[in-house]
């Protein structure tokens, strides 16, 4: 059986409340998240997450229809013109496609480390575009898991999933509770991981030179800090290595997502 399709005629229809004013952070709901754009929805269909409902323009429904036929009958697909859907969601829906995904419980960090070789640990990064880009780069360079400090942004927030081009739906991740942050870093070091804090400090070892010390089987945890302050002193103290990306004089730092891409490229080169 196929999912149920409904034509949208009124923006005030209470059946559409899950999609109403989705830019309002106060309206984020426990247990669900929004996936935006046709490409991200296609990735959602392939991911471990379920789908509760979709809101589509007729053009996007026509393009996605074949892919949606495998969804369960209880999944509702709402189809309507762009101007009407825009009135529902609270902004111009130019991409013409939204899905309400179903969250799953976060795995334990110990589960993510089983068999892992490379992990990314992110502290206090809140911008959804940066969070999404970190996941996109992590997928591109074969990261096994991403771990988030307690106050990081949500990888399943609509803009983060869109910036990740859906890869935050695939790269395994968890959010650490306050009681385990940043103590996890010393635990990793004790268990044989090399925990590398990225810093613009000119005294830090240049990253390509540091990578020369590691073999292809060295387990590496890469630490990325917030957009403004970088890593906290507590996190820096728990890491067992500090490294930097060499830059031209006068430039003191890079965007955290750019830093992640360069550092993960250097890590991935170990296996090429």
């Amino acid at each position: 059986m196929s999912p149920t399709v409904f034509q949208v005629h009124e923006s005030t229809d209470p059946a559409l409340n899950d999609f109403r004013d989705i830019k309002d952070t106060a309206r984020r709901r426990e247990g669900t998240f929004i996936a935006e754009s046709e490409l991200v929805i296609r990735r959602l269909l392939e991911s471990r997450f379920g789908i509760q409902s979709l809101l589509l323009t007729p053009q996007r429904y026509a393009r996605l229809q074949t892919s949606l036929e495998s969804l369960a009958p209880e999944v509702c697909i709402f189809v309507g013109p762009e101007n009407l859907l825009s009135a529902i969601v609270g902004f111009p829906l130019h991409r013409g496609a939204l899905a309400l995904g179903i969250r799953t419980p976060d795995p334990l960090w110990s589960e993510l480390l089983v068999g892992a070789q490379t992990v990314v640990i992110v502290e206090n990064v809140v911008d959804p575009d940066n969070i999404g880009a970190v996941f996109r780069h992590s997928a591109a360079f074969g990261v096994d898991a991403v771990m988030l400090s307690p106050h990081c942004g949500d990888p399943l927030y609509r803009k983060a999933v869109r910036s990740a081009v859906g890869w935050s739906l695939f790269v395994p991740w968890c959010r650490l509770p306050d009681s385990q942050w940043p103590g996890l870093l010393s635990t990793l070091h004790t268990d044989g991981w090399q925990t590398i804090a990225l810093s613009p400090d000119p005294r830090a070892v240049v990253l390509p030179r540091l990578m020369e010390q590691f073999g292809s089987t060295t387990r590496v945890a890469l630490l990325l800090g917030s957009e403004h302050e970088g890593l906290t002193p507590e996190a820096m103290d728990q890491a067992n290595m500090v490294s930097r990306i060499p830059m031209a004089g006068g430039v003191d730092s890079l965007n955290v997502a750019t830093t992640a891409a360069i550092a993960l490229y250097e890590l991935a080169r170990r296996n090429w």
Side-chain angles (χ1 to χ4, degrees):
M1 297 181 68
S2 300
T4 307
V5 179
F6 298 93
Q7 295 298 319
V8 177
H9 301 291
E10 297 289 341
S11 63
T12 55
D13 187 338
L16 302 169
N17 283 348
D18 284 327
F19 293 102
R20 203 172 305 285
D21 299 326
I22 60 173
K23 290 184 73 173
D24 183 353
T25 56
R27 295 187 63 83
R28 295 182 199 171
R29 291 167 176 78
E30 294 293 329
T32 61
F33 62 94
I34 293 288
E36 181 182 6
S37 85
E38 179 183 339
L39 175 57
V40 171
I41 290 173
R42 290 189 185 279
R43 294 250 164 88
L44 175 58
L45 289 165
E46 298 170 357
S47 76
R48 68 185 185 276
F49 297 95
I51 295 178
Q52 183 170 309
S53 55
L54 297 104
L55 187 66
L56 306 169
T57 62
Q59 295 84 354
R60 293 299 175 186
Y61 176 60
R63 290 173 59 90
L64 287 164
Q65 185 173 4
T66 301
S67 300
L68 299 176
E69 288 176 353
S70 61
L71 292 175
E74 58 267 24
V75 176
C76 296
I77 301 176
F78 300 99
V79 179
E82 181 181 320
N83 63 335
L84 191 56
L85 303 192
S86 297
I88 295 165
V89 303
F91 62 90
L93 193 63
H94 298 313
R95 292 177 176 85
L98 295 175
L100 190 69
I102 302 171
R103 292 178 184 263
T104 59
D106 289 357
L108 299 174
W109 65 263
S110 56
E111 297 172 340
L112 294 182
L113 293 179
V114 176
Q117 202 71 31
T118 305
V119 299
V120 171
I121 301 176
V122 186
E123 183 185 40
N124 299 343
V125 173
V126 296
D127 182 86
D129 291 322
N130 285 334
I131 288 286
V134 167
F135 274 86
R136 186 176 185 178
H137 302 329
S138 295
F141 294 112
V143 169
D144 297 300
V146 175
M147 300 181 187
L148 306 171
S149 75
H151 303 294
C152 275
D154 181 7
L156 296 184
Y157 176 53
R158 175 179 59 91
K159 289 183 66 177
V161 179
R162 192 180 70 206
S163 295
V165 199
W167 288 111
S168 56
L169 304 172
F170 288 88
V171 177
W173 62 275
C174 71
R175 184 182 300 277
L176 297 163
D178 286 304
S179 60
Q180 295 177 353
W181 180 259
L184 167 69
L185 303 179
S186 59
T187 300
L188 289 175
H189 183 43
T190 301
D191 290 344
W193 286 78
Q194 299 296 331
T195 53
I196 303 174
L198 268 296
S199 169
D201 189 335
R203 297 169 296 178
V205 180
V206 173
L207 186 62
R209 194 172 302 148
L210 182 62
M211 290 299 101
E212 294 172 359
Q213 305 176 26
F214 300 152
S216 61
T217 59
T218 303
R219 293 182 296 172
V220 175
L222 188 71
L223 280 64
L224 301 169
S226 72
E227 293 90 346
H228 303 293
E229 290 80 17
L231 290 163
T232 61
E234 293 79 12
M236 294 288 289
D237 289 344
Q238 295 287 346
N240 68 301
M241 293 185 179
V242 180
S243 188
R244 65 182 174 89
I245 294 169
M247 290 174 278
V251 180
D252 61 352
S253 64
L254 296 170
N255 169 272
V256 63
T258 303
T259 298
I262 295 171
L264 291 174
Y265 168 79
E266 290 292 340
L267 286 175
R269 289 178 60 195
R270 295 177 301 159
N271 299 315
W272 295 348

